Amino acid sequence: MMKRNSTDCVKTGTCLTRLKNQYHLWLFRAEGQKNLAQMDTRMLKDIGLTEADRQQEISKPFWKG
């Protein structure tokens, strides 16, 4: 396996792509946490989660999936 160094992604243009992808993942997680926080008990039950599950998920920082 080839070892990458920090200049490899700059040369190939993948740094910006990887950064953009990470940013979109964080936005997706943050939006999911926001939606989860707004669900009532019935909605949580419909998706198979408890209040404790919700609390655990929404207490996580968005960057730690």
Side-chain angles (χ1 to χ4, degrees):
M1 190 160 138
M2 238 171 99
K3 185 177 179 183
R4 292 183 178 183
N5 64 41
S6 60
T7 59
D8 287 345
C9 70
V10 174
K11 290 177 186 174
T12 61
T14 59
C15 282
L16 288 177
T17 300
R18 287 167 43 195
L19 182 61
K20 182 185 81 160
N21 290 343
Q22 188 64 50
Y23 174 75
H24 285 288
L25 176 60
W26 288 348
L27 283 179
F28 179 76
R29 287 180 185 161
E31 184 69 22
Q33 287 177 324
K34 178 183 169 189
N35 291 338
L36 197 55
Q38 295 173 350
M39 290 182 180
D40 62 24
T41 305
R42 179 190 52 83
M43 294 170 109
L44 291 172
K45 186 178 178 185
D46 285 347
I47 62 171
L49 294 178
T50 65
E51 288 285 340
D53 295 331
R54 177 202 355 221
Q55 283 305 116
Q56 183 178 5
E57 283 302 312
I58 65 175
S59 67
K60 289 180 188 177
F62 64 86
W63 60 89
K64 291 186 177 183

